Amino acid sequence: YKNNIIRNQNNLLLREKNKELILAKNKAEKASKARSEFLSTVSHELRTPLNAINGITHILLEDKPKKKQLKYLESLKFSGNYLTTFINEILEINKIDSTKVEVENISFNLKELLFNIQSSLKELATANKNYFNLEIDKTIPDNLIGDPTKLSQIILNLINNALKFTQNGHVNVIAKLYSQEEENATVYFEIVDTGIGIPEDKLQSVFESFSQGSIEVNRKYGGTGLGLTIVKKLIELLGGEIKLKSEVGKGSTFTFKLNFKINNEPLEVIEEVKP
Ligand code: ADP
């Protein structure tokens, strides 16, 4: 009888504790949802007037401004672009965090995707006098199934950083087939640069929001400190993990592995043109 009373009391305590935990969880979820909605509304509200500012700056720059006006307009253009990138990145992080981002599964060609990225960044490579090399394993299947938009965003961000923080050096992008089974392929990606490198005590924090290198690096190179946060979150969303090795003055290496399905089905003929 005594044991029964103790058991009942324990059960009651446990139930109360569970109730408290559920209430705390609901409260936290509500707060997080409210924060996410607030951020989204503010960012969207800022984007509309900012589009007007950027648009008008563009028109005025086309209008053959005088030397002094040109200087002011160039500065306005820089600030406008910075703020646009910043707002877009905040929205992107918010979207990923509130699980509003869906992972796509569509057929794509990895070689084409990497070549397109390379050609879109050629100007930046030559501006900083960098050799920019792509090494793509020939055994990677042509028809992978995955999320090419998110993969492009990840690789573009990493190469963009590599080219930005390297001058008169090398940026190498390597894609290797790590393993392959019937319908699955794992690809290993490596983005290597011979740039300024990252101090050991910053190797973890560079992936955190608003985290940047030293004040001098920040002043010289600019940026929002949000790019690597998005890259890390996107890689994790696709089931991978980003790793970083770096040495100040020698360069940095970012690596990650991702799984893809292989599209073995022949391409569908949508419309045949007959002679
Ligand atoms: P940012 O917009 O400032 O470049 P990121 O999140 O992309 O923001 O990067 C955070 C910081 O990590 C950068 O400010 C820079 O100090 C450092 N960093 C990122 N990539 C590299 C790289 N390839 N070489 C050297 N430093 C890098």
Side-chain angles (χ1 to χ4, degrees):
Y1 179 69
K2 214 174 179 185
N3 274 350
N4 257 353
I5 289 181
I6 293 173
R7 209 174 300 142
N8 278 345
Q9 271 174 345
N10 279 346
N11 273 347
L12 221 67
L13 274 174
L14 215 69
R15 229 178 287 159
E16 280 303 310
K17 258 246 141 50
N18 273 345
K19 237 192 233 164
E20 268 171 36
L21 278 175
I22 290 169
L23 273 176
K25 199 171 158 233
N26 283 348
K27 216 172 154 189
E29 270 171 11
K30 257 190 198 156
S32 155
K33 205 168 162 227
R35 190 193 66 134
S36 158
E37 272 166 17
F38 173 75
L39 264 178
S40 173
T41 310
V42 170
S43 305
H44 280 292
E45 286 298 322
L46 284 173
R47 214 150 57 161
T48 315
L50 192 57
N51 283 343
I53 294 171
N54 287 344
I56 294 167
T57 307
H58 180 76
I59 293 169
L60 291 174
L61 271 168
E62 298 267 285
D63 219 15
K64 295 196 188 94
K66 289 191 191 112
K67 208 173 163 191
K68 197 171 164 194
Q69 286 162 339
L70 180 71
K71 210 179 104 196
Y72 290 141
L73 284 171
E74 287 291 355
S75 161
L76 200 59
K77 182 179 162 188
F78 178 84
S79 302
N81 283 344
Y82 173 84
L83 214 53
T84 308
T85 309
F86 184 78
I87 291 170
N88 286 341
E89 286 179 342
I90 290 276
L91 277 171
E92 178 78 25
I93 291 176
N94 199 30
K95 225 164 64 180
I96 302 173
D97 282 349
S98 56
T99 59
K100 279 189 191 138
V101 178
E102 276 179 25
V103 176
E104 275 196 302
N105 274 309
I106 52 176
S107 184
F108 73 101
N109 183 314
L110 184 64
K111 273 169 235 167
E112 269 172 29
L113 182 145
L114 292 172
F115 279 129
N116 285 340
I117 292 179
Q118 191 187 33
S119 60
S120 75
L121 290 173
K122 247 181 201 149
E123 241 174 73
L124 182 59
T126 41
N128 278 351
K129 300 195 179 80
N130 285 323
Y131 286 95
F132 177 15
N133 221 31
L134 267 187
E135 285 174 43
I136 310 170
D137 187 342
K138 283 205 178 85
T139 57
I140 295 176
D142 271 343
N143 279 338
L144 295 177
I145 298 175
D147 194 324
T149 314
K150 290 191 188 66
L151 183 61
S152 294
Q153 211 179 336
I154 292 163
I155 297 177
L156 196 77
N157 242 309
L158 289 174
I159 305 180
N160 203 53
N161 273 350
L163 289 170
K164 178 171 138 186
F165 294 107
T166 308
Q167 248 147 29
N168 289 310
H170 289 260
V171 171
N172 244 4
V173 179
I174 300 159
K176 261 190 222 163
L177 186 66
Y178 182 78
S179 65
Q180 182 177 351
E181 281 161 32
E182 275 163 34
E183 284 181 353
N184 292 292
T186 303
V187 181
Y188 171 81
F189 296 91
E190 198 172 283
I191 291 97
V192 191
D193 69 60
T194 59
I196 61 168
I198 298 167
E200 209 182 330
D201 63 332
K202 290 256 157 61
L203 289 179
Q204 290 299 320
S205 65
V206 286
F207 295 104
E208 285 163 19
S209 296
F210 308 115
S211 154
Q212 294 183 307
S214 65
I215 296 168
E216 298 85 61
V217 169
N218 190 10
R219 202 171 289 147
K220 183 166 173 203
Y221 295 92
T224 58
L226 292 171
L228 284 181
T229 309
I230 296 178
V231 165
K232 184 172 188 278
K233 283 179 189 281
L234 284 178
I235 290 178
E236 284 168 5
L237 193 71
L238 299 183
E241 187 193 351
I242 188 154
K243 293 196 174 137
L244 162 63
K245 273 193 202 147
S246 189
E247 208 178 315
V248 172
K250 293 221 165 128
S252 312
T253 302
F254 289 85
T255 59
F256 59 97
K257 279 188 295 228
L258 289 178
N259 297 322
F260 300 98
K261 286 248 174 291
I262 304 168
N263 190 2
N264 289 321
E265 286 181 22
L267 289 176
E268 191 186 348
V269 178
I270 308 270
E271 200 185 315
E272 201 174 11
V273 178
K274 289 192 176 134

